[in-house]
Amino acid sequence: AGRHHLAFMPFGAGPRKCIGNNLAEMEGPLVLAYGAQRFDFRLAPGYQPELEVAITLRPKHGMPMSIHPRGA
């Protein structure tokens, strides 16, 4: 509340929008796919995620995880 509707625009907007936004939006999923193929992401023992409902669903207090090489 009280913020301009473009206050959080990671790549800007309008005529001065970042020229690299398309590359970044393509690169993100590729990096995630690469990581998911090579690593196991494990939720911290005993942690119970809670949902926070906003425009999208997301974990209320984050997701404490550890990363382990696949096959280990």
Side-chain angles (χ1 to χ4, degrees):
R3 284 192 208 155
H4 188 272
H5 72 285
L6 295 177
F8 179 73
M9 296 294 289
F11 301 109
R16 291 185 175 81
K17 188 173 183 179
C18 175
I19 63 171
N21 70 317
N22 291 328
L23 173 63
E25 289 175 357
M26 179 183 62
E27 219 172 16
L30 290 174
V31 169
L32 288 173
Y34 178 86
Q37 289 174 349
R38 288 161 178 77
F39 299 98
D40 285 322
F41 297 87
R42 299 178 191 157
L43 191 59
Y47 181 77
Q48 289 291 349
E50 297 176 44
L51 290 179
E52 180 177 348
V53 179
I55 291 173
T56 59
L57 290 176
R58 62 187 199 181
K60 192 171 194 172
H61 303 289
M63 293 285 286
M65 303 184 90
S66 56
I67 302 171
H68 305 274
R70 285 218 179 231

